[in-house]
Amino acid sequence: MSQLDIDRLSVEFRVRGQVIRAVDELSYSLSSGQTLVLLGESGSGKSVSALAVMGLLETPPAVITGGEIRFDGTDLLALSRKQARSFRGRRISMIFQDALSALNPVLSVGFQIAEMMRVHEGLSKADSRQRAIELMERVRIPAAAKRFGDYPHEFSGGMRQRIMIAMALALSPDFLIADEPTTALDVTVQAQIVALLGELRQETSMGMVLITHDLGLAADVADRIAVMYAGRIVEAAPAADLYRAPAHPYTAGLLASIPRASRKGHALLPIKGSPPSLAAVPSGCAFHPRCPMSTERCSIERPELRTLSDGRTSACHYAEEVSNALA
């Protein structure tokens, strides 16, 4: 069983004299066969953390200022570029948020999938073509052999996302990072993509990190959920426990904002205000300007992520009170 460990990972962007702390001491662990969901609003650092794991951040302006990314005990940040390539795609793979921009528009989709096997496994052109067609069939691309030579723009959004999944699975990775794989897809296609990822995870026993801001999607697939705000994890818990009784006001606010049939005719309950600029994160708890439970302590003292009596973690001074009130 393989293990991915992220330990106090921090990432900054240094742009025009500003320091933007996009990821702030992020830690989590994931084993083969498990699904971790990183949940939070746009700009909370979810995608940046994934790109850091994959070694795909542009440096500069991005700088990894601290922490470790370990795969079965190997620190990926200590590897040379050549050594890192042996992990990327083969051991850890990624599905990107926008399939149309992630795929090369001037190369056929079949060529792009087959290239993975030719470069990393040394397969011949004929063998890599056959393997690519098998992968296209596996992700349910109709008439895969005939569509091998088609280009990305000739596929629908849902079909392009399936092509991305086929590319990510080409080298049978131990872990898959899926960065908002259902963005811009209609509800029916979203359900198909989520079901497909679930089936593939069960077939291959791979671990999966799913990045999303969709609470319904997270509930469907997660074993464990980590909620991010302003670059930090503010709560992490088994999915059932987190939905039953969140232990951070931000998580509670996200859950309260979900539209419900029982509130038909009533206004939605959004979280007040906007996420902070990562170039000027508020003092103390970054969420305190938007928090209905904020006290003077919250504006002064930054809460550390700590383990509660039930085993979950929360970065709130009043985590027990929040959880008990909502249980």
Side-chain angles (χ1 to χ4, degrees), residues 73-88:
T74 299
D75 186 0
L76 301 188
L77 297 179
L79 300 180
S80 67
R81 181 175 296 182
K82 183 177 180 180
Q83 290 171 324
R85 286 189 67 188
S86 67
F87 279 85
R88 192 184 306 136

Side-chain angles (χ1 to χ4, degrees), residues 195-219:
L196 176 60
L197 287 172
E199 291 171 14
L200 293 171
R201 191 201 71 166
Q202 290 182 343
E203 289 174 13
T204 62
S205 296
M206 65 182 175
M208 184 165 67
V209 178
L210 176 64
I211 296 170
T212 185
H213 55 256
D214 186 328
L215 290 134
L217 173 59

Side-chain angles (χ1 to χ4, degrees), residues 108-137 144-145 148 166-167 170-171:
S108 71
V109 297
F111 178 91
Q112 293 182 65
I113 298 171
E115 185 180 31
M116 300 281 291
M117 280 80 77
R118 291 198 304 274
V119 171
H120 288 273
E121 298 184 340
L123 295 186
S124 66
K125 185 175 181 179
D127 288 343
S128 62
R129 175 189 171 90
Q130 181 57 40
R131 175 71 177 136
I133 292 172
E134 291 172 0
L135 283 166
M136 291 172 69
E137 290 172 343
F148 179 91
M167 291 179 67
L171 302 179

Side-chain angles (χ1 to χ4, degrees), residues 98-113 115 150-155 160 163-164 167:
D98 184 355
L100 185 59
S101 61
L103 293 167
N104 192 321
V106 300
L107 297 175
S108 71
V109 297
F111 178 91
Q112 293 182 65
I113 298 171
E115 185 180 31
D150 289 351
Y151 292 86
H153 71 272
E154 298 179 279
F155 290 82
R160 284 195 293 268
I163 295 296
M164 286 295 301
M167 291 179 67

Side-chain angles (χ1 to χ4, degrees), residues 252-265:
L254 290 176
L255 294 173
S257 67
I258 300 174
R260 290 177 170 82
S262 61
R263 290 189 54 82
K264 184 177 180 181

Side-chain angles (χ1 to χ4, degrees), residues 5-134:
D5 296 295
I6 313 300
D7 184 20
R8 301 179 74 86
L9 177 67
S10 295
V11 180
E12 292 179 354
F13 287 86
R14 299 171 182 174
V15 183
R16 294 189 292 276
Q18 281 191 321
V19 176
I20 300 169
R21 196 170 179 85
V23 178
D24 189 359
E25 297 190 348
L26 176 76
S27 298
Y28 65 79
S29 295
L30 185 68
S31 300
S32 299
Q34 296 179 336
T35 296
L36 171 73
V37 169
L38 291 181
L39 184 69
E41 294 169 287
S42 297
S44 60
K46 306 184 301 296
S47 296
V48 172
S49 68
L51 293 172
V53 172
M54 293 299 297
L56 296 176
L57 289 173
E58 289 191 30
T59 305
V63 179
I64 295 177
T65 58
E68 293 182 336
I69 302 171
R70 295 190 300 272
F71 183 95
D72 287 346
T74 299
D75 186 0
L76 301 188
L77 297 179
L79 300 180
S80 67
R81 181 175 296 182
K82 183 177 180 180
Q83 290 171 324
R85 286 189 67 188
S86 67
F87 279 85
R88 192 184 306 136
R90 183 180 296 278
R91 306 302 302 275
I92 308 174
S93 195
M94 184 169 178
I95 302 170
F96 295 94
Q97 187 173 144
D98 184 355
L100 185 59
S101 61
L103 293 167
N104 192 321
V106 300
L107 297 175
S108 71
V109 297
F111 178 91
Q112 293 182 65
I113 298 171
E115 185 180 31
M116 300 281 291
M117 280 80 77
R118 291 198 304 274
V119 171
H120 288 273
E121 298 184 340
L123 295 186
S124 66
K125 185 175 181 179
D127 288 343
S128 62
R129 175 189 171 90
Q130 181 57 40
R131 175 71 177 136
I133 292 172
E134 291 172 0

